[in-house]
Amino acid sequence: MELSARERMSIAISRELADGEVVLTGAASAIPLAASLLAQAQHAPRLTILGAGVYINPRRLVPEFTAGWNCHPVAIADMSDVFAITELGIDVMFYGGMQIDQHGSVNVHYVSTSSGQLRGPGMANTALGHTARRTLLFTERHDRRTLTDHVEYASVIGHGYRGKTRQELGLPNQGPAALFTPEAVLRPNSTGILQPDTKLGDLPWSTVAESIGWEVSRSQPADFTATDDEVALLRTHVDPSGILRRSALVPRLPRPATGNERT
């Protein structure tokens, strides 16, 4: 059965989530929410989902930018609840970004383009990247504009930043456990550099590797295979309306700066 890129990513991410964990999907995150709902339905019934922080255990998958009452949550938290939960600690935090670099640092603040500086949304939950037991990164773009060797601004720091390790920077957790793109799953090696672990998409591996902005192994990793049960649960229980099979809401970024433009 042919799967969309978003379906493959959702199934792959669901396998990272364990029973009894508390996960925070963030806003505009249909893929992490689908992955969490699939994990609950299949192997992690006691998984607790904090959808956009305040929606506790949503029961309905909603598209990006519409997370709200229509996700049918079991409960609604206020901001004091959110801060209390995050102070106690969560197990998994999801992050996407305008840029993600080889160390797993994430930039959602700004990028330089040929027309000047493009401002991003910023974020209100930077600290969770450093206090959650682990973080999972995802992006719906697999290109060098997004997967860059170094982020222009580190909204959340990965396994290293400006030549210093997380330990040297005094950051308490272990950093990003994995990065999911439409074409690959990458995991940190012994030096904290993200390297391909699984091939998710259909592009030739040489194209996948060349579309990553840092040096990665040219050896093709194992192919991803979804089980029949995973596909059936995803399509009948998690996403019966086909949100993940539709085109993603991924805007086209302006051309990157070359260094010769006026800003």
Side-chain angles (χ1 to χ4, degrees):
M1 184 181 298
E2 185 175 352
L3 298 174
S4 70
R6 307 176 94 197
E7 289 179 311
R8 287 193 296 267
M9 290 176 67
S10 298
I11 293 171
I13 292 172
S14 75
R15 297 177 183 180
E16 304 287 318
L17 307 177
D19 197 24
E21 289 189 315
V22 177
V23 305
L24 200 159
T25 65
S29 301
I31 289 173
L33 178 54
S36 300
L37 291 171
L38 178 59
Q40 277 185 334
Q42 185 171 50
H43 63 268
R46 295 183 301 118
L47 185 77
T48 297
I49 306 169
L50 306 179
V54 298
Y55 303 106
I56 300 173
N57 279 335
R59 296 304 186 195
R60 177 175 178 265
L61 181 65
V62 291
E64 288 84 354
F65 310 111
T66 62
W69 292 99
N70 63 347
C71 67
H72 299 172
V74 170
I76 301 288
D78 61 23
M79 289 310 296
S80 62
D81 295 321
V82 173
F83 286 120
I85 292 169
T86 54
E87 283 293 320
L88 290 171
I90 62 171
D91 295 296
V92 183
M93 178 65 195
F94 288 97
Y95 285 113
M98 301 163 73
Q99 292 178 325
I100 300 172
D101 73 15
Q102 60 185 323
H103 298 286
S105 293
V106 174
N107 176 14
V108 294
H109 278 79
Y110 65 82
V111 293
S112 299
T113 75
S114 58
S115 301
Q117 200 174 80
L118 175 67
R119 298 183 63 180
M123 71 170 61
N125 52 21
T126 296
L128 290 174
H130 306 138
T131 59
R133 189 163 63 87
R134 71 183 188 279
T135 56
L136 297 175
L137 310 180
F138 71 101
T139 176
E140 294 191 56
R141 296 187 184 90
H142 188 99
D143 56 45
R144 285 175 170 260
R145 294 185 186 183
T146 306
L147 307 176
T148 183
D149 57 348
H150 292 88
V151 291
E152 291 185 58
Y153 183 93
S155 307
V156 178
I157 294 173
H159 291 281
Y161 185 63
R162 295 183 176 176
K164 293 186 177 182
T165 65
R166 291 185 69 81
Q167 184 176 9
E168 291 170 332
L169 292 167
L171 300 176
N173 67 357
Q174 299 300 309
L179 164 62
F180 296 82
T181 83
E183 301 298 332
V185 181
L186 296 90
R187 300 186 191 276
N189 63 13
S190 59
T191 61
I193 304 297
L194 294 170
Q195 291 292 322
D197 175 77
T198 306
K199 184 177 184 292
L200 277 188
D202 299 322
L203 292 177
W205 183 249
S206 58
T207 302
V208 175
E210 289 166 3
S211 299
I212 298 172
W214 59 89
E215 188 63 31
V216 298
S217 172
R218 290 305 198 254
S219 299
Q220 180 173 322
D223 287 322
F224 169 80
T225 303
T227 68
D228 291 342
D229 286 346
E230 287 172 325
V231 176
L233 273 174
L234 184 69
R235 290 190 168 178
T236 61
H237 175 75
V238 175
D239 187 27
S241 61
I243 290 171
L244 298 174
R245 296 192 292 277
R246 302 172 197 160
S247 298
L249 298 175
V250 181
R252 184 181 296 275
L253 288 177
R255 296 176 63 85
T258 63
N260 299 320
E261 297 84 355
R262 295 179 180 178
T263 59

